[in-house]
Amino acid sequence: MENYGCRGVTKEFFRSYLEGRQQFTSIGDHESKLLVNSFRVPQGSILGPFLFLIYINDIIKCITPDVDIKYKLFADDTAILLSHVNLDILNHAANETMDRIFDWLISNWLTLNEVKTLYLLFLTTNNKNNKEWIPSVKINNSSLTFANHTKYLGMIIDSKLTFKNHIQFLINKLRKWIGIFRKISSLLTTQVKYILYNSMFLSHILYAIELYGSAPDATLNALQVIQNRAVKALFQLPRLYPTYALYKELKIANIKMLYKTRALSLLWTLQNDDSILNLHYEIKEHFAPIPHRYQFRDNKKFNISYKKASYTSSSTMKLLILWNNLPAEVKGQTTYTKFRENLEIFFSSNT
């Protein structure tokens, strides 16, 4: 009997299942009775997202051999990451994976919105000669859309990881607040101004700044200009007011300082909390601290090595270099609160 779907459901069983919506549970050698399966949860229910995650939990069983494949599940937003050094093998594996996904969807009474399903190609420096190569990915004989960027979990990710599209998206969203701040600033107290800035402006900047904040200064400068203008408008300062004095007097962090603080805090957490998405182990495996024969005062430095000079411009390399340049007393803090306090003191005294 031919298997149907990633779970090994036979076509004969699937046909009878569709007719009667019958289902049973099998644990070891024990099987329950066949019962009519009634499913669906109301939209907007509290348990809805949790029950959906349980329902799609075994989609990760749709594994394609010979390639590195990872699933990132967040409610109904699923990202499938495949990698291989050979682009032809990668293209074949992507189509085979989508075939398995389609079988799994049919077996679980789910449908895929093909219009919203996109795929991106991230090329490494080893594949720089294949910039014009475009893979062809299909599901159920329907071609999926190849894109240079897409929005995932509120962040726009582009195929070259420049984050230009996301930064422009932020600029368009935040620019409107300059005029709003200018009109209402005279009606607000200083305390209300800080509350308004943090809730309506800063919250958008902080989201995913650990990633897009590593973009080159030339890309971030346009967003920095928007922040400068918004802060001056909110606190009723002249347009030519010195930027350096602006952030120092108001005790507000600019874009670059926000990135450093948030990214280094994340790196500290990944090193000290082994329960966060397995990233703790990846950090330890790929960027293990430098082993010393003797107990040095600074034993928290990362062992940074690279084969090409271009690697030093990567966002990961920039972050690790930034970490290594921190004083030992900052990196050695044993609690997150103390680390953040010492980190902010260090940056405030060195700017």
Side-chain angles (χ1 to χ4, degrees):
M1 291 168 59
E2 184 180 355
N3 284 340
Y4 193 80
C6 300
R7 291 178 170 181
V9 178
T10 62
K11 284 187 176 181
E12 288 76 7
F13 178 82
F14 179 63
R15 190 177 296 111
S16 63
Y17 174 70
L18 290 179
E19 293 174 356
R21 292 187 181 180
Q22 292 182 325
Q23 185 174 347
F24 72 97
T25 301
S26 176
I27 301 178
D29 297 330
H30 302 280
E31 294 181 354
S32 67
K33 296 179 180 180
L34 277 172
L35 297 173
V36 175
N37 180 30
S38 177
F39 57 92
R40 294 187 189 135
V41 293
Q43 179 131 6
S45 63
I46 296 176
L47 285 177
F50 179 69
L51 294 174
F52 184 79
L53 286 175
I54 295 176
Y55 192 79
I56 68 168
N57 190 11
D58 64 342
I59 193 174
I60 61 176
K61 300 296 183 180
C62 300
I63 300 297
T64 301
D66 302 326
V67 295
D68 182 17
I69 180 171
K70 295 180 180 179
Y71 286 82
K72 302 298 180 182
L73 308 178
F74 187 88
D76 60 343
D77 288 319
T78 300
I80 308 173
L81 309 177
L82 297 95
S83 62
H84 199 278
V85 294
N86 187 297
L87 297 181
D88 293 327
I89 294 178
L90 178 64
N91 197 170
H92 176 75
N95 283 282
E96 184 176 348
T97 300
M98 296 312 297
D99 289 339
R100 292 169 181 251
I101 292 294
F102 180 74
D103 288 349
W104 183 91
L105 291 171
I106 294 298
S107 300
N108 290 273
W109 281 67
L110 293 173
T111 58
L112 180 71
N113 190 331
E114 297 177 9
V115 176
K116 293 184 178 180
T117 304
L118 310 171
Y119 65 97
L120 281 72
L121 176 65
F122 302 93
L123 291 175
T124 64
T125 53
N126 295 330
N127 300 118
K128 62 181 180 180
N129 295 326
N130 298 285
K131 292 182 179 179
E132 304 301 324
W133 184 81
I134 298 178
S136 175
V137 181
K138 297 182 179 181
I139 183 168
N140 192 29
N141 295 323
S142 297
S143 297
L144 299 179
T145 302
F146 175 75
N148 291 318
H149 63 272
T150 186
K151 192 173 184 179
Y152 179 66
L153 300 182
M155 183 174 187
I156 301 177
I157 303 175
D158 61 277
S159 58
K160 295 183 179 179
L161 297 179
T162 62
F163 303 111
K164 289 182 179 179
N165 300 92
H166 183 73
I167 292 173
Q168 187 60 50
F169 168 75
L170 282 177
I171 291 173
N172 295 337
K173 177 182 287 188
L174 297 175
R175 184 184 283 119
K176 65 180 181 181
W177 286 103
I178 298 174
I180 297 174
F181 288 162
R182 186 175 291 114
K183 292 179 180 179
I184 66 174
S185 60
S186 60
L187 306 175
L188 306 176
T189 64
T190 301
Q191 182 180 5
V192 173
K193 289 179 181 179
Y194 277 105
I195 294 175
L196 185 62
Y197 170 77
N198 291 330
S199 60
M200 306 305 296
F201 193 90
L202 182 61
S203 59
H204 295 289
I205 291 179
L206 290 181
Y207 184 75
I209 195 173
E210 296 87 348
L211 296 176
Y212 79 80
S214 62
D217 291 343
T219 305
L220 285 173
N221 283 342
L223 181 59
Q224 184 61 69
V225 170
I226 296 297
Q227 186 191 25
N228 296 345
R229 293 175 60 189
V231 172
K232 290 177 182 179
L234 181 60
F235 290 91
Q236 298 178 286
L237 296 172
R239 185 174 61 87
L240 299 179
Y241 194 85
T243 304
Y244 173 76
L246 170 72
Y247 291 102
K248 187 173 183 180
E249 292 177 7
L250 296 177
K251 296 182 179 180
I252 293 177
N254 59 18
I255 300 294
K256 184 174 292 186
M257 192 59 61
L258 288 171
Y259 162 69
K260 290 181 179 180
T261 305
R262 300 273 294 197
L264 289 171
S265 298
L266 175 62
L267 188 55
W268 183 94
T269 304
L270 294 179
Q271 294 181 78
N272 293 275
D273 189 345
D274 57 2
S275 64
I276 302 181
L277 302 176
N278 294 326
L279 290 175
H280 170 84
Y281 301 103
E282 295 187 19
I283 289 289
K284 292 292 186 182
E285 179 181 356
H286 298 292
F287 307 107
I290 302 174
H292 292 294
R293 182 177 179 182
Y294 304 100
Q295 184 65 27
F296 286 90
R297 182 167 176 264
D298 187 0
N299 59 354
K300 293 287 186 177
K301 282 191 174 182
F302 282 102
N303 185 11
I304 301 176
S305 60
Y306 53 90
K307 298 179 181 179
K308 296 182 180 180
S310 59
Y311 290 178
T312 58
S313 62
S314 68
S315 57
T316 303
M317 186 66 70
K318 288 179 179 178
L319 179 57
L320 296 182
I321 293 175
L322 190 62
W323 173 271
N324 283 355
N325 290 334
L326 288 177
E329 57 270 19
V330 176
K331 292 182 288 188
Q333 297 298 322
T334 56
T335 65
Y336 179 80
T337 303
K338 285 293 184 181
F339 173 78
R340 282 297 297 264
E341 290 176 356
N342 283 264
L343 186 65
E344 292 175 0
I345 293 173
F346 169 74
F347 282 136
S348 61
S349 60
N350 287 273
T351 54

